[in-house]
Amino acid sequence: GESVGLHLPTLSVQEGDNSIINCAYSNSASDYFIWYKQESGKGPQFIIDIRSNMDKRQGQRVTVLLNKTVKHLSLQIAATQPGDSAVYFCAPLNSGGGADGLTFGKGTHLIIQP
Amino acid sequence: GAGVSQSPSNKVTEKGKDVELRCDPISGHTALYWYRQSLGQGLEFLIYFQGNSAPDKSGLPSDRFSAERTGGSVSTLTIQRTQQEDSAVYLCASSLVGGGGIYNEQFFGPGTRLTVL
């Protein structure tokens, strides 16, 4: 069946602080994980991905950590800015096939407090 | 460098009417996807086109929903006899190549907000 990232609904942080968004998944066959960000009134935008043979990947101000043992991944955003306010989705995928249509859960709404 | 565009941005219709939503993918992208996002919900996959292959319609919620992609470019999502539960944001995305077990980044349009009264 589908494996959809499960998130906490809302996270509020002060501007400049670091934030951690968590995501749990259920399908142990998932071997590729992507994060998207959706700002209000816009379509989702790709942020970063990680393959199952890695446990950490860094981008610009973002780091994704993967723990396959407990089927959990997190997105860390350093020094948050107002533009980081958005809903964040993770999507576990199986690179072995499928229609490649994405399925997101409800995501986590990150609110940056001034 | 235009991105994915969708029209209209907003559509208000009456229950029972048909609506057509348009998507213009990024030039050169052979894969095109339609999604639905209800208020406060995640993303629900509807249909997927790849090149000239038959589309994957596995996500369409009912036979009132259909989609076409003409000339491998522009796509139209049609909802017949709209119902209030069809109210949602309909998102289109395109990517370079779909399928084959390799993820190619999907670029999303801004969506069409459909309201069925």
Side-chain angles (χ1 to χ4, degrees):
Chain A
E2 286 182 344
S3 176
V4 179
L6 303 174
H7 300 254
L8 289 177
T10 303
L11 175 65
S12 182
V13 300
Q14 292 293 125
E15 182 179 349
D17 286 353
N18 299 332
S19 67
I20 300 176
I21 299 169
N22 295 302
C23 176
Y25 63 98
S26 58
N27 188 349
S28 57
S30 299
D31 60 358
Y32 182 74
F33 306 86
I34 56 176
W35 282 91
Y36 270 77
K37 164 188 179 183
Q38 186 174 23
E39 296 176 53
S40 180
K42 297 183 180 180
Q45 178 183 13
F46 176 83
I47 304 173
I48 193 168
D49 58 0
I50 188 168
R51 296 195 178 277
S52 60
N53 61 352
M54 305 170 68
D55 54 19
K56 180 179 181 179
R57 188 168 188 210
Q58 288 185 293
Q60 186 177 18
R61 283 201 306 118
V62 296
T63 301
V64 57
L65 300 178
L66 174 63
N67 186 330
K68 296 182 291 293
T69 303
V70 295
K71 295 198 277 292
H72 178 273
L73 63 161
S74 65
L75 179 72
Q76 301 178 359
I77 304 174
T80 52
Q81 303 169 357
D84 295 329
S85 290
V87 179
Y88 289 81
F89 301 96
C90 79
L93 302 176
N94 185 339
S95 63
D100 297 307
L102 299 176
T103 300
F104 294 157
K106 294 182 181 181
T108 293
H109 186 190
L110 178 64
I111 299 170
I112 307 301
Q113 303 279 6
Chain B
V4 178
S5 61
Q6 293 186 244
S7 62
S9 55
N10 281 282
K11 177 71 176 179
V12 180
T13 190
E14 293 179 347
K15 177 182 172 181
K17 295 286 180 69
D18 298 350
V19 295
E20 285 190 351
L21 312 179
R22 177 187 168 106
C23 172
D24 284 82
I26 292 173
S27 178
H29 281 192
T30 59
L32 186 148
Y33 309 78
W34 282 98
Y35 296 90
R36 179 169 69 176
Q37 189 173 37
S38 301
L39 184 63
Q41 301 298 310
L43 213 59
E44 176 188 2
F45 165 72
L46 298 178
I47 189 170
Y48 155 66
F49 295 89
Q50 167 55 25
N52 296 322
S53 302
D56 177 354
K57 304 178 182 179
S58 59
L60 294 178
S62 78
D63 58 7
R64 296 187 295 105
F65 288 72
S66 62
E68 291 185 339
R69 188 178 186 192
T70 54
S73 180
V74 172
S75 178
T76 303
L77 177 69
T78 301
I79 309 173
Q80 295 178 309
R81 306 180 304 282
T82 52
Q83 304 294 312
Q84 288 183 329
E85 59 263 29
D86 298 335
S87 296
V89 175
Y90 289 82
L91 291 158
C92 175
S94 69
S95 70
L96 277 172
V97 177
I102 299 173
Y103 180 73
N104 288 277
E105 181 182 343
Q106 293 183 28
F107 294 82
F108 283 82
T112 293
R113 181 174 297 278
L114 175 66
T115 304
V116 183
L117 302 176

